[in-house]
Amino acid sequence: MLVRGRTAHHGGVPADTGTRFEVGSLTKTFTALLLAEQAARGELDLHDPLARHLPAGTALPPNGTVLTLTHLATHTSGLPRLPPGLLRSAAPRLLTNPYARFTTDDVLHTLARTRLRAAPGTRVHYSNFGVGLLGYALTGAASLGHTSYPALLDDRVLMPFYLRDTGCTTTAPTGGTQVTGHWRRRVRPPFHIPGLAAAGALRSSARDLLTFVENLLDPASAEVPPALRALCSMYSARGSACRVAAAWR
């Protein structure tokens, strides 16, 4: 493993294998594994309706009653890439923190006025919105009661896999290092995505990501093999030659 560079243009320290980076949409693969873990535990079924695990009274889009957790994980929900209204609110912070002011309440409120682009299960369409909603469903299904997506992921996936550098916090653990984002050599603030955390909030290191991939490639060696088996059972078909695994493209 080779890691080079420094954590910032000015005043940074050398990066190493434990240095944390914002990993963006790689978060989705962890969310899919969390879904599989909860299915293996018996807290939910992979084909449960989305509505079953959302807060009571959450309104769904037209035809949304047939949306399932697997639809969300395999990008076949028919939901658009982003929730309605997010781009408008993000415009003033497009190069800094576009998602920062789009909250949990915003996500759930926009669901009712969302128009599905295709019938669920019939078409692959990449959706941050869909995987973000999946995070809410997973916390709603968790047997330990109401909790946050970051806390649930830490308990069910990150700690069992010994991924000590990985998490949704915007600062590195004590004694660790984290890179500072830049745009044209100008410092950018830590990325915040409160409303769609399950789609892109994670920070991780080269060391942890390598461990994560090794476990996925060799499930028998992992601490949570039932979850990995459940993960491998989730895929969507598009035509006869294209399969999309849960959160993996």
Side-chain angles (χ1 to χ4, degrees), residues 190-228:
F191 186 67
H192 291 273
I193 184 169
L196 299 170
L202 275 184
R203 277 84 172 159
S204 191
S205 65
R207 174 173 59 200
D208 274 8
L209 290 179
L210 182 60
T211 298
F212 183 58
V213 172
E214 286 175 339
N215 282 323
L216 292 175
L217 293 174
D218 185 14
S221 69
E223 294 290 325
V224 284
L228 290 169

Side-chain angles (χ1 to χ4, degrees), residues 46-86:
L46 297 177
H47 302 289
D48 276 350
L50 167 64
R52 180 175 300 172
H53 302 297
L54 290 181
T58 301
L60 297 174
N63 301 321
T65 56
V66 298
L67 282 170
T68 69
L69 304 184
T70 295
H71 288 148
L72 299 175
T74 58
H75 295 289
T76 56
S77 65
L79 289 165
R81 186 182 186 96
L82 296 173
L86 189 148

Side-chain angles (χ1 to χ4, degrees), residues 98-115:
Y99 293 85
R101 295 187 183 179
F102 207 81
T103 67
T104 297
D105 287 343
D106 291 326
V107 171
L108 295 179
H109 289 160
T110 60
L111 184 58
R113 58 187 178 89
T114 300
R115 181 178 178 181

Side-chain angles (χ1 to χ4, degrees), residues 143-176:
S143 59
L144 50 83
H146 296 291
T147 185
S148 66
Y149 167 82
L152 185 61
L153 184 72
D154 188 58
D155 181 57
R156 301 294 184 81
V157 173
L158 304 183
M159 287 195 295
F161 274 84
Y162 302 104
L163 304 179
R164 298 181 177 88
D165 306 323
T166 306
C168 295
T169 58
T170 57
T171 57
T174 303

